[in-house]
Amino acid sequence: MPFLIPKPVLADIISHALIADPEECCGVLIGDENGADEAKRIKNTHPEPIRRYEMDPVALARAESEADAKGLKIVAIYHSHTHSQAYPSKTDVNNAVQSWWTEPYYVLISLVEKTRPIVRAFKISDNHQVTETPITTDGDQYVETTRS
Ligand SMILES: [Zn+2]
């Protein structure tokens, strides 16, 4: 089952990555079991934002309670790689495991080529396993094609 990121949400996170460049951007996608509904941009508070990201804990808590109020949850954590591929780094994997955030998807935006951003989604398991999930931008289309 692919992970649904509707086009406006996809446009939003790509735009966030480009605007934040050369720093890494980060944020969360809130939604439900059907996919993402909305991106919440979160300030990157890492002291070296050009190489790493750390989500501002206050903004993260706010995004979580806003999701909660709508009956939604955090379905993905996204961040950009300005000079490397859209694949979780060793640090990303360690951070995911250590922070206990292994339920949501990890969405990576690569800006190796600024005019051709690449977006990929992964699950990171408690035992440091990285598995890619395809992204779809159209939930209805997916349902149609799987029905036929
Ligand atoms: Zn990373």
Side-chain angles (χ1 to χ4, degrees), residues 56-127:
D56 172 30
V58 176
L60 178 60
R62 196 185 310 128
E64 248 187 312
S65 59
E66 280 172 16
D68 219 40
K70 293 178 183 172
L72 302 172
K73 58 181 179 152
I74 290 173
V75 291
I77 293 167
Y78 74 88
H79 75 282
S80 60
H81 282 173
T82 56
H83 290 95
S84 59
Q85 298 307 314
Y87 194 87
S89 68
K90 205 167 228 176
T91 309
D92 292 338
V93 174
N94 286 337
N95 287 348
V97 173
Q98 279 161 22
S99 66
W100 299 91
W101 280 100
T102 50
E103 177 71 24
Y105 288 102
Y106 281 80
V107 173
L108 279 287
I109 305 135
S110 170
L111 297 180
V112 168
E113 289 184 76
K114 308 304 176 196
T115 58
R116 297 187 201 183
I118 305 279
V119 184
R120 294 169 71 184
F122 303 87
K123 282 273 176 151
I124 300 173
S125 72
D126 295 326
N127 57 355

Side-chain angles (χ1 to χ4, degrees), residues 1-6 29-38 67-68 70-76 103-105 123 139:
M1 179 90 176
F3 177 44
L4 170 65
I5 306 181
L29 301 182
I30 63 172
D32 57 24
E33 65 281 355
N34 297 315
D37 269 30
E38 196 185 330
D68 219 40
K70 293 178 183 172
L72 302 172
K73 58 181 179 152
I74 290 173
V75 291
E103 177 71 24
Y105 288 102
K123 282 273 176 151

Side-chain angles (χ1 to χ4, degrees), residues 35-51:
D37 269 30
E38 196 185 330
K40 295 273 182 199
R41 297 181 181 198
I42 292 180
K43 191 177 160 56
N44 181 358
T45 55
H46 197 282
E48 284 182 87
I50 287 177
R51 296 176 49 240

